[in-house]
Amino acid sequence: MSEDWDEHAENWDRDEHVRTYADQAFASLKKYVNVCDKSWKSKRVLDFGCGTGLLTEKLSAHVKEVVAVDTSKKMIAALERKQLGNVIVVNADIGDPSVRHGAAWLSGFDLITASSVCSFLPDYEFTVGVLSGALSSDGYIVQWDWETSNDDGFGLTKGRIESALEGANLKRIRVEQAFSIQTDEQNMPVLIAIGSSG
Ligand SMILES: C[S@@+](CC[C@H](N)C(=O)[O-])C[C@H]1O[C@@H](n2cnc3c(N)ncnc32)[C@H](O)[C@@H]1O
């Protein structure tokens, strides 16, 4: 699926479903990775595909630093306007080898989050491999995506996520339904997937 995310930036935070998704994502994260524990005050997080930073902001309250990355200039501009003290904002495509080359900032993360991003990537499996390589020795990747029942649809299947995380050499993989979002038309299930480097 190809989207021009810049077009969504201005009204992103006004969308009730988008805000609910971020609230529920953060609530479900805490069941697996307790970022609210004081031990996380010294840890670094990468929020990949951060958008306007709805999840970034929640994470930043509990950790040392969040690096927030997105390819959309306008999403990133909206996040910059929030002026979050311990958030480093990066407008870049980590799929681009010239961005990754010598990028010291793209390493050593204790947690990498990707909230409603992976199903929109041109090469999800490759990107998970890059993200996996940016983890610390005992770090976690946590992603949330709309669940679909077949690989041709909107969203991701449990099977595809499991294979991608396995292919990226992640361990202790879990993929399960985290919550659902009720729209006027339908109830849409959201998967949470967790893998760790250690
Ligand atoms: C559905 S939005 C989710 C935004 C945010 N995570 C949230 O929950 O509000 C998808 C985001 O992924 C970003 N995105 C898409 N492809 C990307 C890529 N290759 N690298 C980084 N971000 C990307 C888009 O620009 C957009 O901000």
Side-chain angles (χ1 to χ4, degrees), residues 39-137:
S39 61
W40 277 82
K41 277 285 174 199
S42 60
K43 305 218 182 223
R44 288 178 72 235
V45 177
L46 171 66
D47 189 17
F48 174 70
C50 59
T52 60
L54 290 172
L55 181 61
T56 312
E57 184 165 7
K58 296 177 200 302
L59 292 163
S60 70
H62 300 281
V63 303
K64 181 181 175 195
E65 175 181 281
V66 184
V67 178
V69 180
D70 203 289
T71 45
S72 161
K73 280 190 170 46
K74 290 194 176 172
M75 288 283 195
I76 283 290
L79 172 52
E80 278 174 331
R81 285 195 292 276
K82 294 179 182 174
Q83 296 190 315
L84 302 173
N86 59 342
V87 174
I88 296 169
V89 180
V90 182
N91 180 213
D93 181 359
I94 63 163
D96 179 344
S98 67
V99 168
R100 294 197 304 279
H101 183 70
W105 60 269
L106 190 57
S107 66
F109 292 105
D110 302 293
L111 171 66
I112 296 177
T113 52
S115 179
S116 191
V117 185
C118 293
S119 65
F120 302 106
L121 298 171
D123 191 340
Y124 162 52
E125 285 75 7
F126 173 77
T127 305
V128 171
V130 172
L131 294 174
S132 174
L135 287 175
S136 66
S137 57

